[in-house]
Each structure stands twice: as C-alpha cells, then as structure tokens.
Amino acid sequence: MLRVLLFALAGVMALLTPPAARALECSNQTYAGNRYTLCSVAPERDELRLFLYDPGGRPYGDFAAVNARLAGEGKQLAFAMNAGMYHEDRAPVGHYVEDGEELMRVVPNAGPGNFGLLPNGVLCLTAHRARVLETLRFEKEHPQCLYATQSGPMLVIDGELHPRFLPDGTSRYIRNGVGTSADGKRAVFVISRNAVSFHEFASYFRDGLKLPQALFLDGNISRLYAPDLGRNDWGRQMGPIVGVVEDRPAGE
C-alpha cells in the first residue's frame, strides 16, 4: 500500500513540477565602440533547429512562415536568425542538412564572394551539441549532424582570426554570425547593430566572447527574431533560418 501511495505521489509531483526553464538569453552589448545583439543558446536545454523548406517544398522565407508551421506542433520560435548564404531561388550555396536529411553537399573549394573566401566552415547541430568546424576539418571528421549549414568565411579558427581580415579593412556592413565553445555546449548568435568590418566582428567573437570557433553567416541582409528584445526584423526573403523552438503557452 505504501509503495502505491509513493508512486501516486511521484506522479502528482511530476505534473506539478514545471519543465526546465530555457537557457536561451538575448541581450544588447557594446564592444570596442560597436553595438551588438547576441543570443546565447545551450543545445542541451534549448531545441535548436534549421529551417528552409516547408512540407510542400516551398522556402519559408521569413520568420512568420516558420512560426505558422510550428504552431501546428504547439510550438513557436523563441529566437531566430538567417543562417547561411543562398541562391536566387533560396537554395543553400553550401552544405545543408535538415532533420538528418542532406539537401546540399559540402563545397570545399574556393570561389567568388564571401562564401568562397577560404577557410569557410559548417555549423553542425546534434541533439545536445553545436559546433562550428572549418570545412576541411568537417570533411575529415565527418560528424553526424542532425542539422548543418555551411557558410563563410570563418571568423575565428582555433582561436585565430581569419588570415585575410585586416584591422584597417574598409568594408563595413551589418553582419551576423555564430560562435561555439570548445565543448559544444554553448552557441552564441550575434548580429551587429551598426556596420562593422570583418576584423571588428571576428574580434568580438574571439576577444569579447572568448569563443575559439566562429562562422560568418551573412551581411547586409542580416536579420534577427528576438521577441524578448522586441526584434522581428523584416526585409527580402531569406534562405536557411536557424532558431530555438519552444512550447507555445497554453491557450494560444
């Protein structure tokens, strides 16, 4: 009888105990005279996904379309950002994996534009880790990613800035990117709030955030969805989108 009562009590406590709070935190920061917004994600606690095509094969294109799809699962975006370069039809330029399915192969060779400014890299998401890997290292290790997106150039490689970045570089844009900790337990997504150079942006990841690996996602068209900060940026249609998914509040 006592055992039955204990099991019943445990069941009641499970129902009354709220789910673990999300680890996601978004904030505005200033570093070396530039303004940034960052969202820090813990993949062990936050459900981090990539989004490109809806079930009908059409690109989502914007945050609202992703949220509309998630509503059918009883979920919503807690944070999102554009996540890599894409062609006119919004197909990814480089390697792309969504829910374990490879939609685009790895592109290891140099090419035009920022993507081809080697070394570039891949953001690889597993069930509990997020890692930024330089592309050739990614090919060598061949990690099994649940989600992956290739972009470029790398911003920080093993604690060093990309060799092509110059302190006096004059190319300045609103830029966004992602850095990861050595153990993969922390991913930090950053968008600048003023135009920055590659050198300034990469230095923020390495020296300001102390992250050993960081990857450029895009510039000029960079956009952020962070409702905690009142951000829901709009503009032209996007390709890949990365975001943290959470349960919708009851009744919504």
Side-chain angles (χ1 to χ4, degrees):
M1 183 66 178
L2 179 58
R3 181 177 296 180
V4 173
L5 288 173
L6 288 174
F7 274 118
L9 179 60
V12 171
M13 292 301 294
L15 291 173
L16 294 177
T17 302
R22 73 187 189 193
L24 171 70
E25 291 185 359
C26 296
S27 63
N28 295 317
Q29 293 190 7
T30 300
Y31 180 78
N34 292 307
R35 296 174 295 120
Y36 301 97
T37 297
L38 64 89
C39 289
S40 181
V41 178
E44 287 183 312
R45 293 170 58 188
D46 298 317
E47 186 181 352
L48 191 57
R49 297 190 201 173
L50 283 164
F51 303 89
L52 181 55
Y53 299 116
D54 67 18
R58 297 177 296 273
Y60 285 106
D62 56 42
F63 304 130
V66 175
N67 257 330
R69 173 63 185 170
L70 288 172
E73 303 177 25
K75 295 182 178 293
Q76 64 185 10
L77 288 171
F79 141 82
M81 175 180 281
N82 55 299
M85 298 167 192
Y86 51 93
H87 297 291
E88 290 265 338
D89 62 358
R90 284 173 275 160
V93 171
H95 185 51
Y96 187 83
V97 176
E98 186 170 331
D99 200 17
E101 180 182 357
E102 182 182 72
L103 303 183
M104 177 61 188
R105 64 177 177 83
V106 176
V107 178
N109 49 290
N114 289 327
F115 181 90
L117 184 62
L118 302 184
N120 58 23
V122 179
L123 171 64
C124 171
L125 307 178
T126 63
H128 302 295
R129 294 289 186 273
R131 299 176 68 200
V132 165
L133 296 163
E134 185 272 325
T135 297
L136 297 183
R137 180 179 174 185
F138 178 86
E139 286 197 300
K140 182 178 179 180
E141 294 188 11
H142 197 63
Q144 297 302 302
C145 310
L146 187 59
Y147 297 91
T149 182
Q150 184 182 9
S151 191
M154 287 286 287
L155 298 170
V156 184
I157 312 110
D158 297 330
E160 299 293 333
L161 301 190
H162 191 291
R164 297 284 295 276
F165 296 165
L166 302 176
D168 57 353
T170 58
S171 174
R172 306 180 71 85
Y173 289 99
I174 300 293
R175 303 184 191 272
N176 72 297
V178 56
T180 54
S181 60
D183 61 7
K185 293 183 179 181
R186 181 178 181 232
V188 183
F189 296 85
V190 178
I191 184 170
S192 66
R193 289 187 289 139
N194 59 268
V196 294
S197 69
F198 269 126
H199 191 275
E200 290 169 334
F201 195 46
S203 295
Y204 178 54
F205 280 97
R206 184 188 67 175
D207 305 327
L209 299 175
K210 310 298 184 186
L211 295 171
Q213 315 290 339
L215 177 66
F216 179 65
L217 292 176
D218 217 330
N220 198 30
I221 64 164
S222 302
R223 298 214 298 285
L224 173 70
Y225 177 81
D228 290 352
L229 299 178
R231 290 280 298 265
N232 186 6
D233 302 348
W234 61 276
R236 77 184 199 187
Q237 295 284 286
M238 294 177 283
I241 294 169
V242 64
V244 168
V245 175
E246 65 180 359
D247 292 335
R248 290 171 62 88
E252 288 192 8

